[in-house]
Amino acid sequence: MSTENNQEYPLQFLKGIGPKRAQVLARYGIETLYDLLNYFPRKYIDRRHIVPLDALHPEEEVTVIGKIEAAGVRRTRRNLFYITISDGKGILEAVWFHSLSYFKKLFNIGEWVSLSGKVKFYRGYQMVHPQYDRLGEGEIDNFFNTGKILPFYSENENFKKAGLNSFTFRKIFFHISFSELDEIREFFPDYLIIKRNLINRQEAYMQIHNPQDPEQLDKAVYRFKYEDFFYLQIMLALQRMHAKSQPLGTTFNKKSRRLEQFYRTLPFELTEAQKKVMREIRQDMRQSAPMNRLLQGDVGSGKTLIAVMAMLIAIDNGYQAALMVPTEILAEQHFYTVKTFLANLDINVNLLTGSIKGEQRRFLMHEIQSIEPQIIIGTHALIQESVDFKSLGLVIIDEQHRFGVMQRGLLMEKGIHADVLVMTATPIPRTLAMTAYGSLDVSVIDELPANRKPITTVWRFDNKAQEIYTFIMERINAGEQAYVVYPLVEETEKLDVKAATEGFEFLSTGPFRQLKVGLLHGRMRNEEKEQVMRAFLKNEIQILVATTVIEVGVDVSNVTIMLIEHAERFGLSQLHQLRGRVGRSHKKSYCILKTPYNIGDIAQKRMRIMTESQDGFIIAEKDLDLRGWGDFFGTKQSGMPEFRIANPIKDREILEQARQDAFELVQQDPYLRSEHHLRLNNIIRTQLKDRMELINIS
Ligand code: ADP
Ligand code: MG
């Protein structure tokens, strides 16, 4: 390998790979040797200790060695292949329920094998589908499934088909000479290596794939966790450093007359948290450095109002303000709300979404391209299309978690140096917010308006449907309204719509035939959607059957019941968002999670968490726990960092270390020009270039 040791080295020529496997790996983004090295094991099992066969206990994970005394196919309810092994002290049977003929050929009586797996007791000690090694002559010192700490790699169907399993990965990594690989040479400066007691990078790669003992493995794991966090933190440190040094933004100095007027006529008092956040935003807007703030606030905490007030400041300073939301329905709703809020203030409010077409669209474009101060509300069509803003001073991005960070980049690419306020209802702990949203300043609305009553949340099985309908009838007879949400059936909107449509048919002709039932989903025409929403707002429709389109933002305060069908199919954050659609007034509200009787363990946990807590912070943390970091923040397109091994929740301490080190480093050497940062500089340019495009560190 020494002659080919560069990261472009085609994987197919590596021992154990070949063209077919290389193709499969490439499909999963593993194209270079470097990618492969960074395909880390998902777990390890310590199989250094071989247990004698007279010392077995049921349910223990162990490794044993023995000679095959008997082997064959046994005809039972399901045919199986078995071998019986003995080590002179005891015996154990191993069974396989598939590939019988394969195993029949594989194992020969008289041969030694090692088996690893969980011990069961079934008319004697047994292992089902154990890991195995056939221990031929000379192999005893060099086998892959026993006698070591064994790495296990994630597999998927396509990997399996190509024979890429943990065993093959172990073999592949066994044949790589880590010490000769240039691209995994150390890049941390010596002073950090010493400060954090890091093992060398090449050594760490070797230990992560071929661990020698638990101590070395721990060191390798620590190093890569630190490295994962460090990459991110150095990027954030650089972003922050360079953002602060470019005072390109707008200064909103003028006192906003209309803001004051608006404030005076509000029918309620702002919460203390809202006031605090408003002060922070005003402060930012007054400065010439562009505002770059994240506003976190649980569902119903009143973020829209903050958005409206911030927009008034921009307007009164002679600029345009845009509010971007993730769905058309939400855009329409915000448009309606904002217009109502501002009815007496003589402010031009415009709505621009993808489905506004033709003459109307041309007219709107013309409006927006003028420099007239105005509020523009829309979906991301606003920045994706060729809208040429002439005096955009403020951009507010609502429900950020649905957008991803990258869209911010899009704004900047368009040369928009407006102040940016990003709002999210996915509250996450502050340290994590720093990790996720990085260089943004963070404001938190940590209190709900005072008139809110807790929402009673219950979990009911499908066989209680009748009782649920009766209960809903009662509330509706008392003048209240209800949502019934049908879930994503699969990853396609079409099926989603089908479920809701069928639910609508059933409810409107069955249990609720005396009532007005409405249907709302993303595939309806705009006018239809608007009509339904209007009717629902006026209580001309009592029950709104919907897909998850109502998840974000929708605000109808007379609705007191949220019935979620197949609640087991939703994630925690989504359930919490949906629940946030009720409990928006002084009336008592209910959230009913309806599921079949048999649902998985994790789904059960989600249901329980929902019934136990209504605090978005707690729910978000539990959600993170259940789903893990990558999933929590959505797919790659969210622009969130993907860690190979680090977990910002469990490894928070390491995160803090990396953060501190990275920020100190950038403070001292903002362009990474000093000699001991050269390799680091190099690594950042090559590894992180996609994320670093906004920064020039040359
Ligand atoms: P969020 O977007 O944070 O989920 P909204 O902005 O939709 O929440 O606000 C929820 C509801 O609470 C709206 O009807 C809004 O008018 C109302 N509201 C906002 N602030 C207050 C307040 N301080 N007191 C009472 N009601 C408020
Ligand atoms: Mg909102």
Side-chain angles (χ1 to χ4, degrees):
M1 157 115 8
S2 54
T3 47
E4 310 94 349
N5 65 6
N6 69 74
Q7 49 175 326
E8 302 308 324
Y9 184 69
L11 280 185
Q12 60 162 311
F13 298 125
L14 274 187
K15 200 171 161 81
I17 297 193
K20 238 179 76 194
R21 286 181 181 166
Q23 227 173 33
V24 174
L25 287 168
R27 284 210 339 245
Y28 291 87
I30 305 174
E31 292 175 77
T32 65
L33 177 54
Y34 189 72
D35 297 333
L36 181 69
L37 293 172
N38 284 301
Y39 189 67
F40 283 1
R42 78 191 145 81
K43 69 165 185 181
Y44 297 88
I45 292 183
D46 190 344
R47 291 212 178 127
R48 286 169 308 155
H49 305 294
I50 290 162
V51 177
L53 291 177
D54 60 350
L56 298 177
H57 299 285
E59 298 306 311
E60 263 177 16
E61 284 258 8
V62 296
T63 296
V64 299
I65 288 188
K67 192 160 99 182
I68 302 179
E69 303 284 357
V73 172
R74 189 151 64 226
R75 316 261 161 215
T76 59
R77 200 164 45 85
R78 282 170 74 196
N79 290 346
L80 58 81
F81 174 79
Y82 72 93
I83 59 175
T84 309
I85 65 164
S86 153
D87 64 353
K89 295 174 184 156
I91 60 168
L92 173 120
E93 183 182 73
V95 299
W96 286 267
F97 290 100
H98 58 75
S99 318
L100 307 191
S101 51
Y102 170 81
F103 287 115
K104 212 164 130 186
K105 275 205 210 93
L106 186 72
F107 292 115
N108 302 306
I109 292 178
E111 222 174 40
W112 282 76
V113 289
S114 80
L115 304 172
S116 302
K118 193 182 268 184
V119 178
K120 297 275 176 199
F121 193 84
Y122 178 74
R123 298 188 212 154
Y125 288 116
Q126 195 183 59
M127 278 184 189
V128 180
H129 299 173
Q131 293 257 332
Y132 55 87
D133 258 325
R134 295 163 61 219
L135 306 177
E137 271 166 81
E139 267 187 66
I140 197 95
D141 300 324
N142 195 14
F143 44 100
F144 292 104
N145 283 342
T146 52
K148 298 179 180 175
I149 300 174
L150 293 181
F152 285 79
Y153 296 84
S154 305
E155 293 163 17
N156 56 48
E157 278 313 307
N158 290 318
F159 275 21
K160 274 189 204 148
K161 272 190 226 145
L164 282 164
N165 51 35
S166 289
F167 177 68
T168 33
F169 276 116
R170 276 172 222 150
K171 276 216 274 213
I172 291 164
F173 286 116
F174 180 80
H175 291 291
I176 291 176
S177 330
F178 291 85
S179 60
E180 291 170 18
L181 298 178
D182 199 42
E183 63 267 33
I184 58 172
R185 247 175 49 209
E186 190 54 73
F187 60 75
F188 279 132
D190 286 344
Y191 67 88
L192 275 187
I193 304 238
I194 293 165
K195 181 177 179 192
R196 298 296 177 196
N197 195 13
L198 301 174
I199 62 168
N200 176 280
R201 197 154 173 258
Q202 286 174 334
E203 180 67 19
Y205 272 104
M206 180 154 110
Q207 293 296 339
I208 211 89
H209 292 295
N210 305 316
Q212 180 187 333
D213 57 48
E215 293 72 35
Q216 291 304 307
L217 177 59
D218 280 351
K219 283 191 176 166
V221 167
Y222 173 79
R223 185 202 151 102
F224 285 122
K225 286 180 173 174
Y226 180 87
E227 200 179 294
D228 273 351
F229 289 136
F230 190 88
Y231 277 139
L232 174 71
Q233 295 301 334
I234 192 111
M235 189 178 92
L236 299 179
L238 288 166
Q239 274 176 356
R240 174 166 284 229
M241 178 68 96
H242 295 258
K244 288 256 149 91
S245 61
Q246 294 173 357
L248 267 168
T250 328
T251 317
F252 302 95
N253 270 326
K254 271 215 290 225
K255 233 179 158 186
S256 174
R257 182 181 52 80
R258 276 179 287 196
L259 174 58
E260 274 166 28
Q261 202 179 332
F262 174 74
Y263 192 86
R264 260 186 280 119
T265 54
L266 265 183
F268 44 70
E269 180 73 5
L270 289 189
T271 61
E272 285 310 311
Q274 282 172 316
K275 286 183 194 162
K276 176 195 71 191
V277 165
M278 247 351 263
R279 278 196 297 275
E280 288 165 347
I281 290 172
R282 267 188 203 229
Q283 179 74 21
D284 278 6
M285 290 180 76
R286 249 184 241 128
Q287 278 162 11
S288 65
M291 169 163 76
N292 209 1
R293 186 166 286 278
L294 171 73
L295 171 57
Q296 290 192 359
D298 208 345
V299 216
S301 60
K303 295 185 293 294
T304 314
L305 201 61
I306 301 286
V308 170
M309 294 195 288
M311 290 194 290
L312 287 177
I313 298 178
I315 301 270
D316 268 352
N317 277 270
Y319 286 91
Q320 301 177 331
L323 175 59
M324 268 173 40
V325 299
T327 65
E328 294 209 348
I329 287 176
L330 187 52
E332 281 148 25
Q333 223 219 313
H334 272 348
F335 176 63
Y336 185 78
T337 318
V338 171
K339 268 186 95 116
T340 320
F341 265 145
L342 304 181
N344 303 319
L345 290 177
D346 182 30
I347 287 175
N348 191 3
V349 185
N350 284 312
L351 172 70
L352 185 71
T353 62
S355 51
I356 292 172
K357 301 230 157 74
E359 188 52 37
Q360 201 186 353
R361 182 173 201 87
R362 272 191 294 281
F363 174 75
L364 265 173
M365 285 299 194
H366 182 75
E367 281 269 286
I368 293 170
Q369 281 164 12
S370 75
I371 56 165
E372 284 307 303
Q374 59 188 290
I375 289 176
I376 303 142
I377 297 175
T379 54
H380 34 249
L382 269 186
I383 53 163
Q384 276 162 352
E385 292 172 24
S386 53
V387 185
D388 180 19
F389 294 103
K390 286 291 191 306
S391 67
L392 189 60
L394 172 69
V395 177
I396 300 180
I397 304 176
D398 194 12
E399 310 296 351
Q400 152 80 22
H401 60 291
R402 284 308 205 73
F403 273 119
V405 181
M406 283 325 195
Q407 311 251 3
R408 270 188 58 74
L410 220 65
L411 279 175
M412 290 176 150
E413 271 167 35
K414 295 199 77 178
I416 297 171
H417 294 281
D419 279 15
V420 175
L421 177 67
V422 172
M423 309 200 294
T424 176
T426 306
I428 51 174
R430 209 172 263 267
T431 43
L432 293 185
M434 290 188 308
T435 309
Y437 302 105
S439 53
L440 307 189
D441 297 307
V442 180
S443 288
V444 184
I445 308 185
D446 50 10
E447 129 189 62
L448 294 177
N451 63 354
R452 301 293 155 77
K453 286 244 175 65
I455 301 165
T456 300
T457 303
V458 294
W459 171 24
R460 294 285 180 267
F461 296 129
D462 290 338
N463 62 357
K464 289 279 191 291
Q466 202 43 57
E467 284 154 57
I468 296 171
Y469 300 144
T470 310
F471 176 72
I472 294 179
M473 265 322 250
E474 276 168 28
R475 297 321 312 155
I476 284 172
N477 288 334
E480 295 162 18
Q481 289 167 279
Y483 294 110
V484 180
V485 175
Y486 284 86
L488 214 65
V489 178
E490 264 170 45
E491 294 296 312
T492 75
E493 203 195 0
K494 211 165 155 189
L495 287 171
D496 207 12
V497 168
K498 185 163 169 267
T501 309
E502 284 172 4
F504 168 75
E505 301 282 321
F506 167 68
L507 294 174
S508 58
T509 56
F512 301 125
R513 61 187 171 279
Q514 300 104 314
L515 303 177
K516 236 2 221 145
V517 182
L519 174 67
L520 188 73
H521 61 69
R523 295 214 158 184
M524 286 161 52
R525 279 182 305 121
N526 253 22
E527 305 88 83
E528 278 182 288
K529 282 190 267 187
E530 215 167 299
Q531 230 170 16
V532 171
M533 269 326 278
R534 289 259 154 81
F536 192 57
L537 265 167
K538 292 191 206 143
N539 199 358
E540 289 162 8
I541 287 176
Q542 287 84 46
I543 295 185
L544 186 62
V545 176
T547 57
T548 50
V549 289
I550 61 153
E551 178 191 353
V552 281
V554 176
D555 182 28
V556 184
S557 63
N558 190 47
V559 193
T560 56
I561 294 175
M562 167 64 69
L563 167 59
I564 304 175
E565 292 282 346
H566 278 291
E568 80 281 3
R569 295 193 191 150
F570 294 92
L572 266 181
S573 297
Q574 221 177 358
L575 289 171
H576 182 62
Q577 291 292 323
L578 283 170
R579 177 168 59 184
R581 298 306 122 219
V582 298
R584 294 183 156 245
S585 70
H586 60 279
K587 288 180 202 135
K588 174 109 196 76
S589 291
Y590 303 85
C591 174
I592 305 164
L593 309 169
K594 187 159 162 278
T595 75
Y597 183 70
N598 274 319
I599 60 173
D601 285 352
I602 298 200
Q604 291 185 28
K605 272 194 196 133
R606 288 201 294 267
M607 297 308 119
R608 247 171 259 129
I609 292 167
M610 283 299 291
T611 55
E612 282 160 14
S613 178
Q614 207 180 313
D615 180 328
F617 271 86
I618 292 177
I619 290 177
E621 268 195 31
K622 303 241 166 163
D623 197 21
L624 259 166
D625 258 3
L626 289 182
R627 280 203 286 164
W629 173 255
D631 244 25
F632 181 81
F633 284 103
T635 48
K636 283 177 200 163
Q637 52 119 32
S638 73
M640 271 327 135
E642 277 187 274
F643 299 129
R644 292 165 297 182
I645 189 167
N647 175 333
I649 308 286
K650 297 200 177 95
D651 307 318
R652 205 174 291 186
E653 213 173 301
I654 309 176
L655 167 61
E656 298 287 347
Q657 292 169 351
R659 184 172 176 86
Q660 187 195 335
D661 295 348
F663 275 74
E664 268 173 28
L665 192 153
V666 169
Q667 184 96 50
Q668 276 157 23
D669 184 11
Y671 293 90
L672 307 185
R673 278 181 191 146
S674 103
E675 200 171 329
H676 42 263
H677 295 153
L678 285 184
R679 255 194 77 74
L680 179 62
N681 187 327
N682 209 354
I683 277 279
I684 289 173
R685 285 143 169 283
T686 51
Q687 304 302 329
L688 303 180
K689 68 171 179 296
D690 304 344
R691 300 208 202 108
M692 293 295 289
E693 59 204 2
L694 302 172
I695 296 163
N696 184 1
I697 50 164
S698 52

